[in-house]
Amino acid sequence: MAMDLESVFLNGTVGAGKTTTGEALHWLLADDGISNAVIDLDELRRSWPAPATDRFNHELELRNLQAVAGNYRDVGVRRFILAGVIEQPSEVDRYRAALGGGKLTVIRLDASIEAIHERLRNRHEPNGQELTWHLDRSVELGEILSETQVETHVLPTGPRTPQQVAQAVRALIGW
């Protein structure tokens, strides 16, 4: 049963376009009659306070993903689109297990730091703590992801629209 599961993990720093690309890919597939579920992992871990030993609520995210993916599988979904962050190679198998097995392709969306910072400035209040945190984290996380290279593919997003990036993702995974 797990062998028929296929998933793509859209990885990247904050502001790289993971959620937007995931939504665009979801609709491309849906328009072609291909069953799928898109899961924004930020939402599966959004609670406060996070444990001191798990500042990004990673363990809660994986527990919630396992439950949500099980519910989707129960209604016939066999293709998952995840938008999130994997910082360590050892985490890939944990996500695959939480999804119920099958194939998991990790694609790092690679946008320029200028484009990322512009998106973040449009998303957050000017001069706010949240903006400052996200700007700093985008650089830090970008360096971590470039160094650890957990992805199967790196996809430069360049000046493409979310729909064009989603089409490129779809071509890479063969859906």
Side-chain angles (χ1 to χ4, degrees), residues 43-72:
E43 297 305 320
L44 295 186
R45 64 183 175 82
R46 192 178 310 276
S47 68
W48 186 90
T53 58
D54 187 8
R55 87 182 227 216
F56 295 112
N57 268 331
H58 182 69
E59 296 306 316
L60 178 63
E61 176 185 294
L62 283 165
R63 287 175 50 202
N64 285 340
L65 176 60
Q66 184 175 15
V68 169
N71 291 334
Y72 280 129

Side-chain angles (χ1 to χ4, degrees), residues 2-9 78-80 92 96 99-106 152-153 172-175:
M3 287 304 174
D4 65 343
L5 293 177
E6 292 185 58
S7 303
V8 63
F9 192 114
R78 294 293 175 262
R79 292 199 173 137
F80 292 99
V92 176
R96 183 181 293 110
L99 289 165
K103 181 179 179 183
L104 175 61
T105 303
V106 179
T152 312
H153 305 282
L172 284 172
I173 57 179
W175 291 0

